[in-house]
């Protein structure tokens, strides 16, 4: 009896011990302490307890800590043990691919799609099958890249995110830190710098960045510099303030009085009133420093992590982040953006067709479309390849955890020996002006907001003209553009104005290029009219057939310009008037002009303009400009169509809305213009 009771007690203690162990393991998993979770679930496997769940969470912990190759056998055992979670079979296929078992991965995906009803997972599985089918073509593509491990920098720990700036190579590393991060079982990372001439490293100058940047018990990583070097943005994570793996944020610091200021959280979330924080990381400034690119897992993205851009306005505040769209972002993960000197976007992805894990890709704009290309081998491998940085058009760095390196993640150098690697940069430079008091001469108009739109009306870039009225955009080969200029003030406002520009037929042939980099600049002019009550504008070329009032095809083209102006300026109400010459009886001319004005207004209404904003008025010959007209040219001046601004309602101007449909109100607090202390990275 005593033996029986003892056995029962031991059994109960064993059960309680297993429950306690699994509870600790699950808590570690939920708090993104993946290595700790792996160790604890491993003990459950040793005890032969809850093996199906233990194998699943070990596999998922390896995946979420960027060790997908090691997850393969555990996903397999979880599936064999009856785990039916929709994600298991999909991630098992990804693990097979990461281990270069491409045929097995394709077969697994085929079986998976046949037995899964989750539409999102099926869509991603189908996309991955398509990617696998492209592998043979990728393997056969000729590569001009030569790569080499940057042994002088790399250690047996992790080194990644190289950035070359002002004679120094900055990079992230877990060297010299004895504190262990439970997410990976490796030390926390800091940001280091070392003097270099290209890829030639002076290792004696290696040092970590200031203590105000590097904290001892958190990760710092992926630094980026503004063009003048006085502003840095970097990633900081795992501060313990938030549960799970999303405690990752972007921080900004200024260089003032020969020291870096206290880093502050950047306001790049702007998602909802609750200020929920999401994973924001891998920042990179554009070449002009006006745009910040970064990766994030915020809602309404294309997949896991997407690449976003956020503009900085003239007061230094970041705009609402913009998703780069389906051409770049996939159902998978995109991160580590970098914009080269010729405007190409380099990034890493496991969602585009690749060899396994993260691969490096380049996106460029061609004929109005964004195309994405895998950089191929030897830059890419079945491991994680990421963090591309070019310090010259044909030379740079990238990172990989491929076999044969010195440690975890290593930094590699590369040279691109493509004989056709010649860059042409196209720029559109312009001036913003307004008319002088005489209504004919022009003068410079500063601080005008100018947008560059593609042929489909999508905003590609937005800027503000400087004190000299100057603005510039990067443009691309063989593409049509629209320019939209607007300026609204408390005392003086201007009509929003459009202009067009094209690079079609203006491209430099490759055969004519001599230098590695060629810059081509085009010029344009945007003239804005003051927005004033009762101001008159003559519409050119609104012609009618003799004694007719029907809108001719050529007149419709001119009226379409007025349609655009009215849509761009919804706050104005106009009178559209028609005038005749004096070569017919007064009554006849008055009737004819009224019919013509009415026809023009009816046309505007048919193109979507609210009839409440339009008044038709015929003046006949009552308002002749040249009263004693003799020549046909003089009579034509009198036969004109005009519009006059009758009313201005500022409340009709479109408001900028956030993703929840609420108006975005610009704050002018200079102290906190960059920041929001409750936002995450």
């Amino acid at each position: 009896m005593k033996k029986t009771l003892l056995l029962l007690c031991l059994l109960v203690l064993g059960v309680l011990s297993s429950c306690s162990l699994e509870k600790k393991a699950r808590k570690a998993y939920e708090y993104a302490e993946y290595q700790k979770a792996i160790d604890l679930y491993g003990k459950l496997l040793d005890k032969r307890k809850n093996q199906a769940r233990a194998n699943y969470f070990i596999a998922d912990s390896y995946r979420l800590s960027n060790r997908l190759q090691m997850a393969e056998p555990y996903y397999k055992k979880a599936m064999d043990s009856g785990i039916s979670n929709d994600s298991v079979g999909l991630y098992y296929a990804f693990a097979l691919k990461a281990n270069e078992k491409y045929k097995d991965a394709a077969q697994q995906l085929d079986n998976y799609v046949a037995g899964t009803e989750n539409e999102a997972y099926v869509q991603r599985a189908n996309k991955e099958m398509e990617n696998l089918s492209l592998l043979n073509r990728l393997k056969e593509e000729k590569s001009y890249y030569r790569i080499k491990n940057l042994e002088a920098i790399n250690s047996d720990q992790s080194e990644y995110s190289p950035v070359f700036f002002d004679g120094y190579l900055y990079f992230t590393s877990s060297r010299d830190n004895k504190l262990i991060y439970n997410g990976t079982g490796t030390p926390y990372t800091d940001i280091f710098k070392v003097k270099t001439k290209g890829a030639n490293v002076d290792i004696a100058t290696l040092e970590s960045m200031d203590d105000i940047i590097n904290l001892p018990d958190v990760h710092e990583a992926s630094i980026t510099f503004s063009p003048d070097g006085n502003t840095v943005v970097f990633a900081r994570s795992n501060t313990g303030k938030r549960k799970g793996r999303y405690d990752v944020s972007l921080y900004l610091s200024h260089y003032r009085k020969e020291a870096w200021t206290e880093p502050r959280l950047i306001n790049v979330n702007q998602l909802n009133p609750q200020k929920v924080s999401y994973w924001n990381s891998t920042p990179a400034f554009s070449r002009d420093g006006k745009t910040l690119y970064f990766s994030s897992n915020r809602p309404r993205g294309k997949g896991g992590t997407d690449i976003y851009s956020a503009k900085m306005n003239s007061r230094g505040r970041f705009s609402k982040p913009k998703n780069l769209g389906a051409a770049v972002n996939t159902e998978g993960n995109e991160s580590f953006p970098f914009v080269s000197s010729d405007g190409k976007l380099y990034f890493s992805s496991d969602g585009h067709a690749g060899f396994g894990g993260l691969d490096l890709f380049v996106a460029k704009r061609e004929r109005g479309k964004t195309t994405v290309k895998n950089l191929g081998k030897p830059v890419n491998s079945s491991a994680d390849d990421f963090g591309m940085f070019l310090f010259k058009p044909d030379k740079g760095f990238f990172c990989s955890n491929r076999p044969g390196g010195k440690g975890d993640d290593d930094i590699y150098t590369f040279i691109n020996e493509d004989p056709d690697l010649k860059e042409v940069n196209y720029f559109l430079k312009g001036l913003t002006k307004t008319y002088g008091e005489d209504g004919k001469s022009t003068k410079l108009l500063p601080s005008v907001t100018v947008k560059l739109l593609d042929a489909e009306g999508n905003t590609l870039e937005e800027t503000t003209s400087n004190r000299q009225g100057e603005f510039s955009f990067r443009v691309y080969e063989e593409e049509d553009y629209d320019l939209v200029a607007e300026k609204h003030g408390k005392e003086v406002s201007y009509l929003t104005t459009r202009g067009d520009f094209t690079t079609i037929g203006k491209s430099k042939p490759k055969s004519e290029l001599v230098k590695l980099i060629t810059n081509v600049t085009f010029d344009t002019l945007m003239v804005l009219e003051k927005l004033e009550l009762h101001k008159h504008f003559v519409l050119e070329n609104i012609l009618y057939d003799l004694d007719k009032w029907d809108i001719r095809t050529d007149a419709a083209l001119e009226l379409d310009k007025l349609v655009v102006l009215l849509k761009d300026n919804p706050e104005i109400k106009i009178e559209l008037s028609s005038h005749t010459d004096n070569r017919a009886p007064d009554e006849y001319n008055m009737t004819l002009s009224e019919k013509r004005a009415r026809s023009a207004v009816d046309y505007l209404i048919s193109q979507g303009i609210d009839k409440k904003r339009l008044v038709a008025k015929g003046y006949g010959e009552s308002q002749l400009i040249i009263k004693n007209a003799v020549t046909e040219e003089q009579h034509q001046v009198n036969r004109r169509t005009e519009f006059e601004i009758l009313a201005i309602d500022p409340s009709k101007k479109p408001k900028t809305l956030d993703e929840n449909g609420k108006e975005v109100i610009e704050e002018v607090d200079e102290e906190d213009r960059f920041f929001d202390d409750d936002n995450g990275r």
Side-chain angles (χ1 to χ4, degrees), residues 57-70:
F57 283 111
I58 288 174
D60 228 36
S61 294
Y62 275 128
R63 177 181 66 86
L64 293 171
S65 57
N66 300 321
R67 293 173 284 179
L68 186 56
Q69 295 96 328
M70 300 176 71

Side-chain angles (χ1 to χ4, degrees), residues 30-32 236-251 265 269 275-280 677-681:
E30 291 175 350
Y31 276 82
R236 178 177 285 171
S237 66
N238 309 111
T239 61
K241 293 180 180 179
R242 289 185 289 275
K243 177 181 177 180
R245 59 195 291 259
Y246 302 140
D247 185 9
V248 184
S249 305
L250 293 180
Y251 286 75
L265 281 165
N269 265 346
K275 294 184 178 179
V276 176
S277 295
Y278 297 95
W279 189 91
N280 301 292
D677 284 332
D678 295 323
N679 269 335
R681 168 195 171 211

Side-chain angles (χ1 to χ4, degrees), residues 430-432 444-446 463-472:
L431 289 175
T432 50
L444 294 176
L445 182 65
T463 190
T464 302
S465 61
N466 62 20
R467 292 180 180 178
Q468 290 73 45
E470 300 168 331
F471 66 91
S472 66

